[in-house]
Amino acid sequence: MMYTKDWTKVSRPTEKIERMEAFFAGHGFSPHRHDTYALGITLNGVHSFSYRKSMRHSLPGNAVVIHPDELHDGEAGTEAGFHYKILYLSPEIIQQVLGGKPLPFIADGISSDPRIVSAISNLLTDLDGLLDSLEEEDGIYEIAQALSDVSGQKTRRKKVNYRSAELARQFMLDAADEVVTMDRLEQVSETDRWSLSRDFRALFGTSPYRYLTLRRLDKAKAMINSGMALVDVAAACGFADQSHMTHHFSKTYGLPPGRWLDLMLRN
């Protein structure tokens, strides 16, 4: 089917996965980064994006694998536009399978490896239906294993402190509306700030500060989608003001809040 106008279709999220299908005729997203894996399948057209200082071009049947916290954008590589499905999976969910190993990294941002393509496709087959819980768990396991196998990390850094990083992560989830300092995180995690910062990045793909900011943006998205005024959302989510929230929102999702909401309302 040929499309001419931009559209998005968002599946009902579960506690572990967000899924989306979209078409963009030209420009899709400005440069942005988020702290989840973005795992997509190009269905039609050429999905072009800047990633790690190079332009990538995903063709139909390819998997797009964006590592957490890597800057990227998105645009059509031809006048035909590009059509894709994508899911977002947090590093902490991947860690439930990997058990504290450094996160898998696919350097090119694109893979044609059948293990990765199949594992991602299995969770994107039917965006209209709800995922069975066992189906979801199996799918997550397959994705984590495929990424780990294909990334083939031959060198390992010294052992990371998963317990301390997880204690810090859980504390930030519980304290999302409070002022969080590294002094407090040191106390909670029972380790020094530099070890915590290093291990947190290795295990969860981003810094503690970015992780906290993105959890506040998760909350902001839900409030914006419910119709709350942006100025009220900013105050409720711990941002200094609406401009501060818009700045972080655009850096994370590649779209300002108003544009994002407009695309959501087209579903």
Side-chain angles (χ1 to χ4, degrees), residues 7 31 33 64 97 121 132 134 167 189 197 226 241-242 246:
W7 57 267
R33 56 194 179 104
V64 173
V97 178
S121 297
D132 176 90
L134 184 57
L167 285 172
S189 64
S197 294
S226 73
D241 51 31
Q242 181 180 332
T246 297

Side-chain angles (χ1 to χ4, degrees), residues 48-208:
S48 297
F49 57 99
S50 179
Y51 187 66
R52 294 180 63 81
K53 300 181 180 180
S54 296
M55 283 300 297
R56 317 293 185 179
H57 305 283
S58 179
L59 303 178
N62 285 162
V64 173
V65 183
I66 304 296
H67 193 271
D69 232 19
E70 286 287 348
L71 188 69
H72 62 284
D73 54 15
E75 63 184 43
T78 70
E79 293 182 357
F82 69 104
H83 179 199
Y84 67 103
K85 291 182 179 180
I86 196 163
L87 64 89
Y88 299 93
L89 191 57
S90 68
E92 52 264 36
I93 300 300
I94 294 288
Q95 285 296 351
Q96 291 176 9
V97 178
L98 299 183
K101 295 179 181 178
L103 290 172
F105 184 71
I106 307 300
D108 291 340
I110 297 173
S111 178
S112 59
D113 189 287
R115 291 167 291 182
I116 289 182
V117 172
S118 176
I120 296 173
S121 297
N122 287 342
L123 286 181
L124 290 171
T125 300
D126 181 13
L127 268 63
D128 292 323
L130 293 176
L131 285 170
D132 176 90
S133 61
L134 184 57
E135 176 188 18
E136 180 180 60
E137 295 293 345
D138 283 350
I140 290 171
Y141 179 86
E142 293 295 333
I143 285 175
Q145 288 297 331
L147 291 175
S148 182
D149 291 345
V150 175
S151 68
Q153 293 167 310
K154 296 180 180 179
T155 59
R156 301 290 185 184
R157 59 179 293 268
K158 69 178 184 179
K159 186 176 179 180
V160 295
N161 189 336
Y162 181 49
R163 176 183 176 276
S164 291
E166 178 62 12
L167 285 172
R169 189 183 73 82
Q170 287 294 336
F171 173 77
M172 286 189 286
L173 288 179
D174 296 335
D177 297 325
E178 302 175 19
V179 176
V180 178
T181 66
M182 282 304 297
D183 287 341
R184 187 73 178 101
L185 289 181
E186 281 185 320
Q187 295 173 356
V188 168
S189 64
E190 301 174 358
T191 190
D192 69 276
R193 65 186 61 199
W194 307 121
S195 295
L196 174 62
S197 294
R198 182 184 63 242
D199 293 345
F200 200 96
R201 284 173 168 83
L203 291 165
F204 302 119
T206 194
S207 68

